[in-house]
Amino acid sequence: SPTLFAQSTDLQSQTTQSVNTALTPNPDNVHQALVSLPATHVAKNALLSSEITPPGSPNIPVLIDALVRVVDPSTMASFDSDTQHAALVGLKAVAKHRFDVLEPMRDAVVMAVMAHVRDRNITVKLAAERCALYALRLARVPSTEFDGDNNGLDAYVQNMGGPASDKGKQVLDYHRRVLSKLADATRELDYASDDEDDPNSAGSRADGANSDDEA
């Protein structure tokens, strides 16, 4: 239970290590395909609980890094699309509800996520868009009275080498064509929550942002 986890640092550390092991590519681990998906859910739930992972907890960067590995281009081949989708949903939830714990690793998160915004799997693609939206702090988050801005985007672009860099160009172009429209949609009065990441929900995509291939 959350209370038990909150009261036991040993249990927190053991669980974090188990998640880290499950989400570390290992060709000799015949059970990895079975444990990786549940491990992403454990990581998400732990990161969303300030009792289990209070600010400053050494388990936070380990858990975030484990989720990033699932979608990082250099390691994602070890995980199926369901696990990748779950990792993106988890990272988005943390970015939306506990940005303070994700912010120190924001650049690594966004770099990995941007590799999936053109994914052929529509559920993975949509989850990547939502994750980028909140990791860059573009969207409105009513629970924290934050209306979204471009400060996170600007900081990320500068950290990637500026607007002329490959990664800078990539995210700025995608922001112009897709992310800005999604961000605007979160400020509409009738915007539906995207917490379930349902591509068929009213809040899953802004009107006019139907494809990243649009001009």
Side-chain angles (χ1 to χ4, degrees):
S1 69
T3 301
L4 180 61
F5 271 90
Q7 294 174 346
S8 174
T9 56
D10 287 342
L11 185 55
Q12 294 168 15
S13 298
Q14 291 169 12
T15 301
T16 297
Q17 184 56 48
S18 295
V19 168
N20 193 44
T21 299
L23 299 181
T24 297
N26 180 1
D28 296 326
N29 184 356
V30 296
H31 300 296
Q32 186 157 48
L34 297 175
V35 300
S36 58
L37 181 57
T40 62
H41 295 306
V42 172
K44 171 187 173 182
N45 291 335
L47 288 165
L48 289 177
S49 171
S50 59
E51 292 184 344
I52 297 174
T53 51
S57 168
N59 295 322
I60 291 173
V62 178
L63 291 170
I64 292 177
D65 186 59
L67 290 175
V68 168
R69 278 199 303 274
V70 176
V71 293
D72 187 279
S74 66
T75 49
M76 66 185 188
S78 297
F79 306 98
D80 62 24
S81 60
D82 288 341
T83 304
Q84 291 175 15
H85 175 261
L88 289 165
V89 170
L91 289 167
K92 185 218 66 173
V94 177
K96 183 175 182 179
H97 299 291
R98 292 194 72 195
F99 181 75
D100 58 317
V101 304
L102 181 135
E103 186 174 16
M105 303 180 69
R106 178 200 59 206
D107 289 354
V109 170
V110 176
M111 278 193 289
V113 167
M114 288 302 296
H116 294 271
V117 295
R118 294 177 181 270
D119 201 287
R120 293 181 180 180
N121 184 310
I122 188 63
T123 59
V124 171
K125 171 186 168 64
L126 293 181
E129 289 179 355
R130 313 312 295 189
C131 187
L133 189 68
Y134 288 100
L136 290 169
R137 297 282 273 172
L138 298 169
R140 179 172 181 261
V141 184
S143 62
T144 59
E145 298 183 349
F146 179 73
D147 283 334
D149 56 40
N150 287 347
N151 293 338
L153 174 67
D154 294 341
Y156 174 77
V157 169
Q158 290 305 314
N159 291 343
M160 293 301 103
S165 66
D166 289 343
K167 287 184 171 59
K169 289 178 181 177
Q170 178 198 28
V171 74
L172 287 173
D173 179 63
Y174 206 75
H175 173 259
R176 176 181 63 83
R177 293 187 291 112
V178 177
L179 296 179
S180 61
K181 299 172 185 177
L182 296 177
D184 288 342
T186 66
R187 301 182 189 101
E188 296 175 1
L189 293 178
D190 61 347
Y191 179 73
S193 173
D194 60 356
D195 279 342
E196 298 303 320
D197 244 6
D198 180 3
N200 296 314
S201 70
S204 66
R205 182 178 291 275
D207 291 341
N210 293 325
S211 171
D212 64 354
D213 293 327
E214 291 181 349

